Amino acid sequence: KATADASTTTTKDEAAALVRDDDAAEDGFSYVQFAKSYPFANNLLIAATKTAAADLLAQTVIAQTPITEIDLQRSFLFCVFGALYLGAFQYLYQVQVFKKLFDVDKFTQQ
């Protein structure tokens, strides 16, 4: 019985957190609200940012290139690759195609 009460409390706390996130959107920018409203754009931004950051890390740490000599064209190409392949294609493939192939709603409601 104590376990059931704890899980009920957690569920109520999670619901309260979601309400707070929705209220934050009214006051200003809310990342959670943005991610829920625009999942595709959110995925593009995340993929482009992390790919560009990985390239900058590779240039500065692994290749030991000084910041002033970073190959910006290379970084831009990695950013575009991240947005198009990792962001757009992977999102459409993994979210849209898998949704049609598998019963995603049944799986996520377990």
Side-chain angles (χ1 to χ4, degrees):
K1 175 132 180 142
T3 306
D5 291 339
S7 66
T8 304
T9 304
T10 303
T11 304
K12 289 178 183 175
D13 291 343
E14 290 171 354
L18 290 174
V19 169
R20 283 193 299 273
D21 288 337
D22 290 340
D23 290 342
E26 294 172 5
D27 297 334
F29 179 76
S30 168
Y31 174 74
V32 173
Q33 192 61 38
F34 174 77
K36 287 179 183 178
S37 299
Y38 307 101
F40 184 72
N42 182 56
N43 203 52
L44 286 176
L45 290 172
I46 290 172
T49 302
K50 73 175 187 157
T51 308
D55 178 58
L56 289 173
L57 183 73
Q59 287 189 57
T60 57
V61 175
I62 297 171
Q64 297 181 349
T65 305
I67 296 278
T68 57
E69 297 177 20
I70 288 177
D71 186 352
L72 294 178
Q73 183 179 8
R74 171 184 156 165
S75 294
F76 175 73
L77 290 174
F78 269 93
C79 184
V80 170
F81 170 77
L84 295 178
Y85 179 69
L86 300 174
F89 175 74
Q90 292 287 327
Y91 176 85
L92 293 172
Y93 178 70
Q94 293 178 1
V95 175
Q96 302 303 324
V97 173
F98 282 4
K99 194 183 292 184
K100 291 179 176 147
L101 292 176
F102 305 106
D103 189 4
V104 176
D105 293 331
K106 180 181 177 185
F107 176 76
T108 57
Q109 292 177 359
Q110 291 181 357

